[in-house]
Amino acid sequence: MFLIALFLGVWKYRQMASSETHLAHPYVDTAHRAALLYSFATLLVAPFVQFSGWSELVDLLCAGTLYFFFLTAVASYAYHGWQRDTDNQFRDPAPSAAAVHGYMAALIAGEIAAFAVLLAGFVDGQVL
């Protein structure tokens, strides 16, 4: 994820350098920032996996769920930046409002549940 953030930073710089306003497209900026933040969020997750009391499969599924949503969020931001189709993906959601809000509900539930399981595994492995 950090390497993705670095490449997105190059793209952001190129847009800033060639724009009359010296600004990158809002979603290129968002993709870059999100990738940087998610790279450090991934580092935060690692010790919870490492010191978990749960099985490797449970830890893999939870960490994989988190990383899947981190990656797909950045990819969707980069897509909108590439297409330059919107500055707010919720205004006229494509392909549909139901798809966008369904993805957001899955992201919210998946990220919170996955981290809650990892946190419980950490407590089980280190405290109890």
Side-chain angles (χ1 to χ4, degrees):
M1 185 64 70
F2 188 68
L3 186 59
I4 292 169
L6 294 175
F7 281 114
L8 288 167
V10 172
W11 184 22
K12 178 180 172 179
Y13 160 72
R14 292 298 307 142
Q15 284 194 355
M16 292 168 60
S18 62
S19 166
E20 289 183 13
T21 63
H22 301 290
L23 297 172
H25 185 275
Y27 272 100
V28 172
D29 185 48
T30 299
H32 175 243
R33 290 173 191 229
L36 285 171
L37 291 169
Y38 283 141
S39 68
F40 287 96
T42 302
L43 290 175
L44 174 72
V45 169
F48 286 91
V49 170
Q50 180 181 0
F51 297 114
S52 173
W54 304 147
S55 71
E56 287 183 14
L57 178 61
V58 170
D59 293 336
L60 176 66
L61 290 172
C62 290
T65 297
L66 287 163
Y67 199 75
F68 170 78
F69 283 116
F70 294 170
L71 191 59
T72 57
V74 170
S76 73
Y77 303 147
Y79 172 79
H80 288 299
W82 182 267
Q83 293 295 314
R84 295 178 182 248
D85 59 353
T86 186
D87 61 357
N88 185 328
Q89 66 184 349
F90 293 103
R91 184 178 306 121
D92 293 312
S96 71
V100 171
H101 292 295
Y103 170 80
M104 290 303 299
L107 179 146
I108 291 164
E111 286 184 354
I112 291 172
F115 188 74
V117 170
L118 289 176
L119 180 60
F122 178 84
V123 170
D124 180 68
Q126 301 302 308
V127 178
L128 301 179

